[in-house]
Amino acid sequence: MSIGLTHYLIVSAVLFSIGLYGALSRKNAIVILMCVEIMLNAANLSLVAFSRFITPDQLSGQTLAIFSIVVAAAEVSVGLAIIIALYRQRKNIDVSNINLLKW
Amino acid sequence: MHITSIPSELIWAVWLLPLAAFAIISPLIRPFPGKAEPASYISIAAVSLSLGLSLWLLASVWQMPDHQLLLSGFNWLNISGGPVFNFGLLIDPLSAIMLVVVNSVSLMVQIYSRAYMRSDPGYLRYFAFISLFTASMLGLITASNLLSTFVFWELVGLSSYLLIGFWFHRPAAAAAAKKAFLVTRIGDVGFLAAILLLYSHAGTLDITTLHSLAVTGAISASVLLWATLGLFLGAMGKSGQFPLHIWLPDAMEGPTPVSALIHAATMVAAGVFLVARMYPLFEAAPHALTIVAAIGAFTAVFAATMGLVMNDIKRVLAYSTISQLGLMMLGLATGGVWVGIFYLVNHAFFKALLFLGAGSVNHATGTFDLREMGGLRIKIPWTFACFILAAVSLAGIWPLAGFFSKEGVLSSAIDKQPVLFGLAIITTFMTAFYMFRVVFLVFGGQYRGSHGPHESSKTMLIPMVLLAIPAVASGWLNANGGFERLLNGAATHGFWLGVVGVLTHPMAWISLLVVGSGIFMAYAMYIRVWISPNRVKWIFRSLYAIFTRKYWMDDFYEKLIVGNLLYHGLFQAFQWLDKVVIDGAANSVAFVTTGASRMARRIQTGQFQLYGIVAVLGIVLIALIALVRG
């Protein structure tokens, strides 16, 4: 049995679900950030897989994945900066305490 | 003698000239509030020119074969695909005569006002308003379309409001102006309703077209009845017919020359004129004329009784005007347009003269109270001469003007409405009595006041003397039936046999006898004191109370209608409706909204992970729906 598009997509979906679960359930802001990264990478994986199997003679998916990685890197740096600022303010990075935007 | 017919541009000038005077004077009120002599020259010049033109116009109309001149004017309102409302002039004998009367009375009043208002701080404002008043009345008279008639009708109401409340810093004057405006407004609702009704059934508001439609029977009788009743309601408001007469005595709060103008030519004449103008409609409507006659005759007696007991000279004259207007309505309804208008014309001159005389008496004595006058025949002989001529004319003594117009009303009333003729005869008696009561109290006996009376200046006396000429002689206009022929097409009455020949008719002697006994009774009570007025007062004390309290009409309106019915009844009901129903609906909407949102906002926990879960669940749900529905 050769490895095809389905397998990549299954891996991608599993990764995405793990990331989503972590992002919605964990309380530590850094962990949430990491989980978001996992979801992004799941998306990158499926991009590359689609590109490889559907349009093998073009590199569009791979190019998009590179862009996505760059954006993710920038996003991580901003996110970590926010978390540091938050820590300095509250000595705590538990997201359940960050609930000022409510009624 | 042939007179060149007046060019149509100059006919427009008849009512545009006083309007122009108003337009010139009114911007000057602010910069020159007080005395500014030239302003009065502007308005007097305008109305003199206008009088000259209207005399020329009357002569032109006189010699025209069909006596009618219709200036199409311009399309004022042009509703696309719909009606066209034309702003034109309708000149017929009726309007031509009225133009001359209004202009001549207005001219005399304005000359008189130059002296009477000399030291008033509102001198300019006065002349601006009086020009506007004259212009709107002239416009009303000449309008060829019922809609433009209504516009001028309201302008007349507005300018009378401004002039009655001329001394608006006096609470009584402000209240009187408001009362006049509101009470006439009730009548105007009827007028407007009649306009709408006529328009919806006839499709036009052109007066001559309406006349021909009414004559040919193109408008159904019931529509005509309601329309004429609406028109008459408007006329009742303006002409002070019962039960809308209550504003007229209060209107005495205005300057006396204004009262002269209102009572003679402009305001109250508008109602009589409207009935005369729409007379073919009244003729075609069943019973409309009977109602007009009944209300007119009742008003005549009703107002005369109050005139008997008033102690204010202007109020006696005011009730006299209401009473005379009632007789005009009776004359219109029983004798046709010419009887009513003939009365209106004669009345305009002698009533204006009486008011100017009252103003002159006030100038001399500083009061309007009859109890503080007396013996003035020596002190102010010119005023006395003019006043007594006007009073004799109003009472109706041959050969003065009032006699002839009264004969017209009485003899046509006895033909058509014998019962109402009885009321008219009673009114004639009371008119003679109260007019001579005033004459004897003011000019007879000894002076009872403390003012040091003096004759008025020439500026005031000259207009009075000039007005005395028509007040004596305007009745002779119809000596050979000329007035009637002009308005009626033909002299049909058969009763008019010249100035002297009229005395061959028994009616003349009946009315002279009644008038004579009225005058004699006043003489007996107030000069000879054979019968003491106080004793008469005591014997008829209940009647006296009713008359002095004006039949409690004012109290009735104020307490019962305004106080109980409107203020405590209708307005309270409106307030309840507003508070409970309207506010309640608005408040409950707000209450439900806040309550619902108070619950709904609990969802917004601020926990972004919860929002994420909801979003994911939503996506899953959408995906599931997409899967199931294929």
Side-chain angles (χ1 to χ4, degrees), chain B residues 279-334:
Chain B
Y279 202 73
L281 275 70
F282 281 85
E283 271 182 317
H287 306 307
L289 284 178
T290 316
I291 294 168
V292 173
I295 290 184
F298 177 73
T299 308
V301 175
F302 177 77
T305 57
M306 291 183 279
L308 298 175
V309 297
M310 291 294 147
N311 280 323
D312 181 313
I313 181 170
K314 281 179 77 181
R315 283 192 184 257
V316 177
L317 294 178
Y319 283 111
S320 153
T321 303
I322 300 175
S323 169
Q324 302 297 305
L325 287 165
L327 289 182
M328 285 177 211
M329 290 293 184
L330 178 63
L332 274 179
T334 53

Short mmCIF file of all heavy atoms in Angstrom, two decimals, chain B residues 279-334:
data_model
loop_
_atom_site.label_atom_id
_atom_site.label_comp_id
_atom_site.label_asym_id
_atom_site.label_seq_id
_atom_site.Cartn_x
_atom_site.Cartn_y
_atom_site.Cartn_z
N TYR B 279 -73.90 83.37 -3.65
CA TYR B 279 -75.35 83.37 -3.50
C TYR B 279 -76.07 82.36 -4.39
O TYR B 279 -77.00 81.70 -3.93
CB TYR B 279 -75.91 84.78 -3.72
CG TYR B 279 -77.25 84.97 -3.09
CD1 TYR B 279 -77.38 85.07 -1.73
CD2 TYR B 279 -78.41 85.01 -3.87
CE1 TYR B 279 -78.61 85.22 -1.13
CE2 TYR B 279 -79.65 85.16 -3.28
CZ TYR B 279 -79.74 85.27 -1.91
OH TYR B 279 -80.96 85.41 -1.32
N PRO B 280 -75.65 82.18 -5.66
CA PRO B 280 -76.35 81.18 -6.48
C PRO B 280 -76.33 79.79 -5.86
O PRO B 280 -77.29 79.02 -6.00
CB PRO B 280 -75.57 81.20 -7.79
CG PRO B 280 -74.98 82.56 -7.85
CD PRO B 280 -74.68 82.93 -6.44
N LEU B 281 -75.27 79.46 -5.13
CA LEU B 281 -75.22 78.16 -4.46
C LEU B 281 -76.25 78.09 -3.34
O LEU B 281 -76.93 77.08 -3.16
CB LEU B 281 -73.82 77.90 -3.89
CG LEU B 281 -72.81 77.29 -4.84
CD1 LEU B 281 -72.42 78.28 -5.90
CD2 LEU B 281 -71.59 76.81 -4.10
N PHE B 282 -76.35 79.20 -2.59
CA PHE B 282 -77.33 79.23 -1.50
C PHE B 282 -78.75 79.12 -2.05
O PHE B 282 -79.60 78.46 -1.47
CB PHE B 282 -77.19 80.52 -0.69
CG PHE B 282 -76.04 80.51 0.28
CD1 PHE B 282 -74.77 80.85 -0.13
CD2 PHE B 282 -76.24 80.14 1.59
CE1 PHE B 282 -73.72 80.84 0.77
CE2 PHE B 282 -75.20 80.12 2.50
CZ PHE B 282 -73.93 80.48 2.08
N GLU B 283 -78.96 79.79 -3.21
CA GLU B 283 -80.30 79.75 -3.79
C GLU B 283 -80.67 78.35 -4.23
O GLU B 283 -81.82 77.94 -4.15
CB GLU B 283 -80.37 80.70 -4.99
CG GLU B 283 -80.77 82.09 -4.61
CD GLU B 283 -80.88 82.98 -5.84
OE1 GLU B 283 -79.97 82.87 -6.70
OE2 GLU B 283 -81.83 83.75 -5.92
N ALA B 284 -79.64 77.62 -4.74
CA ALA B 284 -79.93 76.28 -5.27
C ALA B 284 -80.03 75.24 -4.17
O ALA B 284 -80.54 74.15 -4.40
CB ALA B 284 -78.84 75.89 -6.27
N ALA B 285 -79.52 75.57 -2.98
CA ALA B 285 -79.55 74.58 -1.91
C ALA B 285 -80.85 74.69 -1.14
O ALA B 285 -81.26 75.79 -0.77
CB ALA B 285 -78.37 74.81 -0.96
N PRO B 286 -81.52 73.58 -0.89
CA PRO B 286 -82.78 73.66 -0.15
C PRO B 286 -82.54 74.09 1.29
O PRO B 286 -81.59 73.61 1.92
CB PRO B 286 -83.31 72.23 -0.22
CG PRO B 286 -82.11 71.39 -0.47
CD PRO B 286 -81.15 72.23 -1.26
N HIS B 287 -83.32 74.96 1.78
CA HIS B 287 -83.33 75.38 3.19
C HIS B 287 -82.11 76.16 3.64
O HIS B 287 -82.08 76.66 4.75
CB HIS B 287 -83.51 74.18 4.13
CG HIS B 287 -84.72 73.37 3.79
ND1 HIS B 287 -85.97 73.92 3.67
CD2 HIS B 287 -84.86 72.05 3.52
CE1 HIS B 287 -86.83 72.98 3.35
NE2 HIS B 287 -86.18 71.83 3.23
N ALA B 288 -81.06 76.25 2.79
CA ALA B 288 -79.86 76.96 3.25
C ALA B 288 -80.21 78.41 3.57
O ALA B 288 -79.81 78.93 4.61
CB ALA B 288 -78.78 76.91 2.18
N LEU B 289 -81.00 79.03 2.70
CA LEU B 289 -81.33 80.43 2.93
C LEU B 289 -82.21 80.61 4.16
O LEU B 289 -82.11 81.61 4.86
CB LEU B 289 -82.02 81.02 1.70
CG LEU B 289 -81.07 81.33 0.54
CD1 LEU B 289 -81.85 81.86 -0.63
CD2 LEU B 289 -80.02 82.32 0.97
N THR B 290 -83.06 79.61 4.43
CA THR B 290 -83.89 79.70 5.62
C THR B 290 -83.02 79.70 6.86
O THR B 290 -83.25 80.46 7.81
CB THR B 290 -84.86 78.50 5.68
OG1 THR B 290 -85.40 78.32 4.38
CG2 THR B 290 -85.94 78.74 6.68
N ILE B 291 -81.99 78.84 6.86
CA ILE B 291 -81.09 78.79 8.01
C ILE B 291 -80.36 80.11 8.16
O ILE B 291 -80.26 80.66 9.26
CB ILE B 291 -80.12 77.61 7.85
CG1 ILE B 291 -80.88 76.30 7.90
CG2 ILE B 291 -79.04 77.66 8.92
CD1 ILE B 291 -80.08 75.10 7.47
N VAL B 292 -79.86 80.63 7.02
CA VAL B 292 -79.16 81.92 7.07
C VAL B 292 -80.09 82.99 7.65
O VAL B 292 -79.70 83.75 8.55
CB VAL B 292 -78.68 82.33 5.66
CG1 VAL B 292 -78.11 83.74 5.69
CG2 VAL B 292 -77.64 81.36 5.15
N ALA B 293 -81.32 83.01 7.16
CA ALA B 293 -82.27 84.03 7.63
C ALA B 293 -82.54 83.88 9.11
O ALA B 293 -82.53 84.86 9.86
CB ALA B 293 -83.57 83.92 6.84
N ALA B 294 -82.75 82.63 9.56
CA ALA B 294 -83.10 82.41 10.97
C ALA B 294 -81.94 82.81 11.87
O ALA B 294 -82.14 83.52 12.87
CB ALA B 294 -83.46 80.95 11.19
N ILE B 295 -80.73 82.38 11.51
CA ILE B 295 -79.59 82.73 12.36
C ILE B 295 -79.37 84.24 12.34
O ILE B 295 -79.12 84.86 13.38
CB ILE B 295 -78.34 81.96 11.91
CG1 ILE B 295 -78.51 80.49 12.25
CG2 ILE B 295 -77.09 82.53 12.57
CD1 ILE B 295 -77.33 79.64 11.96
N GLY B 296 -79.52 84.84 11.17
CA GLY B 296 -79.34 86.29 11.08
C GLY B 296 -80.34 87.02 11.95
O GLY B 296 -79.96 87.89 12.75
N ALA B 297 -81.61 86.66 11.85
CA ALA B 297 -82.63 87.38 12.61
C ALA B 297 -82.44 87.16 14.09
O ALA B 297 -82.55 88.10 14.89
CB ALA B 297 -84.02 86.90 12.18
N PHE B 298 -82.11 85.92 14.48
CA PHE B 298 -81.91 85.66 15.90
C PHE B 298 -80.72 86.47 16.41
O PHE B 298 -80.81 87.11 17.46
CB PHE B 298 -81.67 84.17 16.14
CG PHE B 298 -81.39 83.86 17.57
CD1 PHE B 298 -82.41 83.92 18.51
CD2 PHE B 298 -80.11 83.57 18.00
CE1 PHE B 298 -82.15 83.67 19.85
CE2 PHE B 298 -79.85 83.33 19.34
CZ PHE B 298 -80.87 83.38 20.26
N THR B 299 -79.61 86.47 15.65
CA THR B 299 -78.44 87.23 16.06
C THR B 299 -78.79 88.70 16.22
O THR B 299 -78.33 89.36 17.16
CB THR B 299 -77.32 87.09 15.03
OG1 THR B 299 -77.10 85.71 14.79
CG2 THR B 299 -76.04 87.71 15.51
N ALA B 300 -79.62 89.21 15.31
CA ALA B 300 -79.97 90.63 15.35
C ALA B 300 -80.62 90.98 16.69
O ALA B 300 -80.21 91.92 17.37
CB ALA B 300 -80.90 90.97 14.19
N VAL B 301 -81.62 90.19 17.09
CA VAL B 301 -82.31 90.49 18.35
C VAL B 301 -81.41 90.23 19.53
O VAL B 301 -81.29 91.05 20.46
CB VAL B 301 -83.58 89.61 18.46
CG1 VAL B 301 -84.23 89.81 19.82
CG2 VAL B 301 -84.54 89.96 17.38
N PHE B 302 -80.75 89.10 19.49
CA PHE B 302 -79.90 88.65 20.59
C PHE B 302 -78.83 89.69 20.92
O PHE B 302 -78.65 90.06 22.08
CB PHE B 302 -79.28 87.33 20.12
CG PHE B 302 -78.31 86.72 21.06
CD1 PHE B 302 -78.75 86.05 22.18
CD2 PHE B 302 -76.96 86.78 20.80
CE1 PHE B 302 -77.86 85.46 23.03
CE2 PHE B 302 -76.06 86.20 21.66
CZ PHE B 302 -76.51 85.54 22.78
N ALA B 303 -78.13 90.18 19.88
CA ALA B 303 -77.05 91.14 20.13
C ALA B 303 -77.62 92.48 20.55
O ALA B 303 -77.05 93.16 21.40
CB ALA B 303 -76.20 91.29 18.88
N ALA B 304 -78.79 92.85 19.99
CA ALA B 304 -79.36 94.15 20.33
C ALA B 304 -79.70 94.20 21.81
O ALA B 304 -79.50 95.23 22.47
CB ALA B 304 -80.60 94.41 19.49
N THR B 305 -80.20 93.09 22.39
CA THR B 305 -80.56 93.11 23.81
C THR B 305 -79.33 93.42 24.66
O THR B 305 -79.43 94.11 25.67
CB THR B 305 -81.14 91.76 24.25
OG1 THR B 305 -80.19 90.75 23.97
CG2 THR B 305 -82.43 91.47 23.57
N MET B 306 -78.17 92.89 24.26
CA MET B 306 -76.97 93.16 25.05
C MET B 306 -76.51 94.60 24.85
O MET B 306 -75.96 95.22 25.77
CB MET B 306 -75.87 92.18 24.68
CG MET B 306 -76.20 90.78 25.13
SD MET B 306 -74.89 89.60 24.80
CE MET B 306 -75.16 89.22 23.11
N GLY B 307 -76.76 95.12 23.62
CA GLY B 307 -76.40 96.51 23.37
C GLY B 307 -77.16 97.48 24.26
O GLY B 307 -76.69 98.57 24.53
N LEU B 308 -78.34 97.06 24.74
CA LEU B 308 -79.17 97.96 25.55
C LEU B 308 -78.50 98.34 26.86
O LEU B 308 -78.75 99.41 27.40
CB LEU B 308 -80.51 97.28 25.88
CG LEU B 308 -81.42 96.92 24.72
CD1 LEU B 308 -82.63 96.16 25.23
CD2 LEU B 308 -81.88 98.18 24.01
N VAL B 309 -77.69 97.45 27.40
CA VAL B 309 -77.26 97.63 28.79
C VAL B 309 -75.78 97.92 28.96
O VAL B 309 -75.33 98.14 30.07
CB VAL B 309 -77.61 96.37 29.63
CG1 VAL B 309 -79.10 96.17 29.65
CG2 VAL B 309 -76.90 95.15 29.08
N MET B 310 -75.01 97.91 27.87
CA MET B 310 -73.57 98.09 28.02
C MET B 310 -73.26 99.54 28.43
O MET B 310 -73.92 100.48 28.00
CB MET B 310 -72.85 97.77 26.72
CG MET B 310 -72.88 96.30 26.38
SD MET B 310 -71.96 95.33 27.58
CE MET B 310 -72.90 93.82 27.61
N ASN B 311 -72.23 99.71 29.23
CA ASN B 311 -71.86 101.04 29.67
C ASN B 311 -70.64 101.58 28.95
O ASN B 311 -70.20 102.69 29.20
CB ASN B 311 -71.59 101.04 31.17
CG ASN B 311 -72.89 101.08 31.93
OD1 ASN B 311 -73.83 101.74 31.52
ND2 ASN B 311 -72.95 100.35 33.02
N ASP B 312 -70.07 100.77 28.07
CA ASP B 312 -68.89 101.17 27.32
C ASP B 312 -69.37 101.53 25.92
O ASP B 312 -70.02 100.73 25.25
CB ASP B 312 -67.89 100.01 27.29
CG ASP B 312 -66.63 100.35 26.56
OD1 ASP B 312 -66.73 100.91 25.45
OD2 ASP B 312 -65.54 100.04 27.07
N ILE B 313 -69.06 102.76 25.48
CA ILE B 313 -69.61 103.23 24.20
C ILE B 313 -69.21 102.31 23.06
O ILE B 313 -70.01 101.98 22.17
CB ILE B 313 -69.19 104.70 23.95
CG1 ILE B 313 -69.76 105.21 22.65
CG2 ILE B 313 -67.70 104.87 23.97
CD1 ILE B 313 -69.58 106.71 22.48
N LYS B 314 -67.96 101.82 23.09
CA LYS B 314 -67.53 100.95 22.00
C LYS B 314 -68.23 99.60 22.03
O LYS B 314 -68.46 98.99 21.00
CB LYS B 314 -66.01 100.76 22.06
CG LYS B 314 -65.26 101.94 21.50
CD LYS B 314 -63.76 101.75 21.60
CE LYS B 314 -63.25 100.82 20.54
NZ LYS B 314 -61.79 100.63 20.66
N ARG B 315 -68.54 99.14 23.25
CA ARG B 315 -69.23 97.85 23.33
C ARG B 315 -70.66 97.96 22.82
O ARG B 315 -71.17 97.04 22.18
CB ARG B 315 -69.21 97.31 24.74
CG ARG B 315 -67.86 96.76 25.05
CD ARG B 315 -67.80 95.95 26.31
NE ARG B 315 -66.41 95.58 26.48
CZ ARG B 315 -65.94 94.37 26.21
NH1 ARG B 315 -66.73 93.41 25.80
NH2 ARG B 315 -64.66 94.11 26.34
N VAL B 316 -71.32 99.07 23.10
CA VAL B 316 -72.66 99.27 22.53
C VAL B 316 -72.56 99.19 21.02
O VAL B 316 -73.34 98.51 20.35
CB VAL B 316 -73.24 100.62 22.97
CG1 VAL B 316 -74.59 100.84 22.32
CG2 VAL B 316 -73.37 100.69 24.47
N LEU B 317 -71.57 99.89 20.47
CA LEU B 317 -71.41 99.89 19.01
C LEU B 317 -71.07 98.49 18.51
O LEU B 317 -71.53 98.08 17.44
CB LEU B 317 -70.32 100.88 18.60
CG LEU B 317 -70.62 102.35 18.86
CD1 LEU B 317 -69.45 103.21 18.45
CD2 LEU B 317 -71.86 102.77 18.12
N ALA B 318 -70.29 97.73 19.29
CA ALA B 318 -69.93 96.38 18.86
C ALA B 318 -71.16 95.49 18.79
O ALA B 318 -71.37 94.78 17.80
CB ALA B 318 -68.91 95.79 19.82
N TYR B 319 -71.99 95.55 19.85
CA TYR B 319 -73.21 94.73 19.80
C TYR B 319 -74.13 95.22 18.71
O TYR B 319 -74.82 94.42 18.06
CB TYR B 319 -73.89 94.72 21.16
CG TYR B 319 -73.19 93.80 22.12
CD1 TYR B 319 -72.49 94.29 23.21
CD2 TYR B 319 -73.19 92.43 21.90
CE1 TYR B 319 -71.82 93.44 24.06
CE2 TYR B 319 -72.52 91.58 22.74
CZ TYR B 319 -71.83 92.09 23.82
OH TYR B 319 -71.16 91.24 24.64
N SER B 320 -74.11 96.53 18.47
CA SER B 320 -74.91 97.05 17.37
C SER B 320 -74.43 96.46 16.05
O SER B 320 -75.24 96.08 15.20
CB SER B 320 -74.80 98.57 17.39
OG SER B 320 -74.98 99.06 16.10
N THR B 321 -73.11 96.35 15.88
CA THR B 321 -72.59 95.76 14.64
C THR B 321 -73.06 94.33 14.47
O THR B 321 -73.50 93.92 13.39
CB THR B 321 -71.06 95.81 14.63
OG1 THR B 321 -70.65 97.14 14.79
CG2 THR B 321 -70.53 95.27 13.33
N ILE B 322 -72.95 93.54 15.56
CA ILE B 322 -73.38 92.14 15.47
C ILE B 322 -74.84 92.09 15.04
O ILE B 322 -75.24 91.32 14.15
CB ILE B 322 -73.20 91.43 16.82
CG1 ILE B 322 -71.74 91.46 17.23
CG2 ILE B 322 -73.70 90.01 16.75
CD1 ILE B 322 -71.49 90.88 18.60
N SER B 323 -75.64 92.95 15.69
CA SER B 323 -77.06 92.99 15.41
C SER B 323 -77.32 93.37 13.95
O SER B 323 -78.12 92.74 13.26
CB SER B 323 -77.69 93.97 16.38
OG SER B 323 -78.98 94.26 16.02
N GLN B 324 -76.61 94.40 13.48
CA GLN B 324 -76.81 94.85 12.09
C GLN B 324 -76.35 93.78 11.10
O GLN B 324 -76.94 93.59 10.04
CB GLN B 324 -76.05 96.14 11.84
CG GLN B 324 -76.43 97.28 12.76
CD GLN B 324 -77.87 97.68 12.58
OE1 GLN B 324 -78.31 97.99 11.49
NE2 GLN B 324 -78.62 97.66 13.66
N LEU B 325 -75.27 93.06 11.46
CA LEU B 325 -74.81 91.98 10.58
C LEU B 325 -75.88 90.90 10.47
O LEU B 325 -76.08 90.31 9.41
CB LEU B 325 -73.52 91.38 11.12
CG LEU B 325 -72.28 92.24 10.94
CD1 LEU B 325 -71.15 91.74 11.81
CD2 LEU B 325 -71.84 92.24 9.49
N GLY B 326 -76.56 90.66 11.61
CA GLY B 326 -77.66 89.71 11.56
C GLY B 326 -78.73 90.17 10.58
O GLY B 326 -79.25 89.37 9.79
N LEU B 327 -79.04 91.46 10.61
CA LEU B 327 -80.04 91.99 9.66
C LEU B 327 -79.55 91.85 8.23
O LEU B 327 -80.33 91.58 7.32
CB LEU B 327 -80.36 93.45 9.98
CG LEU B 327 -81.17 93.69 11.25
CD1 LEU B 327 -81.45 95.17 11.40
CD2 LEU B 327 -82.48 92.92 11.21
N MET B 328 -78.23 92.06 8.02
CA MET B 328 -77.70 91.89 6.66
C MET B 328 -77.91 90.47 6.18
O MET B 328 -78.31 90.23 5.03
CB MET B 328 -76.20 92.18 6.65
CG MET B 328 -75.86 93.64 6.73
SD MET B 328 -74.07 93.81 6.79
CE MET B 328 -73.93 95.27 7.77
N MET B 329 -77.63 89.49 7.07
CA MET B 329 -77.81 88.09 6.69
C MET B 329 -79.29 87.83 6.38
O MET B 329 -79.61 87.15 5.40
CB MET B 329 -77.36 87.17 7.83
CG MET B 329 -75.87 87.16 8.05
SD MET B 329 -75.01 86.42 6.64
CE MET B 329 -73.33 86.45 7.23
N LEU B 330 -80.17 88.40 7.21
CA LEU B 330 -81.61 88.25 6.97
C LEU B 330 -81.97 88.86 5.62
O LEU B 330 -82.72 88.26 4.83
CB LEU B 330 -82.39 88.93 8.10
CG LEU B 330 -83.91 88.94 7.98
CD1 LEU B 330 -84.43 87.52 8.01
CD2 LEU B 330 -84.54 89.74 9.11
N GLY B 331 -81.41 90.04 5.33
CA GLY B 331 -81.68 90.70 4.06
C GLY B 331 -81.17 89.88 2.89
O GLY B 331 -81.86 89.72 1.88
N LEU B 332 -79.94 89.36 3.03
CA LEU B 332 -79.38 88.51 1.97
C LEU B 332 -80.30 87.33 1.71
O LEU B 332 -80.60 86.99 0.56
CB LEU B 332 -78.02 87.98 2.41
CG LEU B 332 -76.79 88.81 2.16
CD1 LEU B 332 -75.58 88.09 2.70
CD2 LEU B 332 -76.60 89.05 0.67
N ALA B 333 -80.73 86.69 2.80
CA ALA B 333 -81.47 85.44 2.64
C ALA B 333 -82.86 85.68 2.10
O ALA B 333 -83.38 84.86 1.34
CB ALA B 333 -81.55 84.72 3.98
N THR B 334 -83.49 86.80 2.47
CA THR B 334 -84.86 86.98 2.02
C THR B 334 -84.96 87.85 0.78
O THR B 334 -85.82 87.62 -0.06
CB THR B 334 -85.73 87.61 3.14
OG1 THR B 334 -85.08 88.80 3.57
CG2 THR B 334 -85.88 86.67 4.30
#
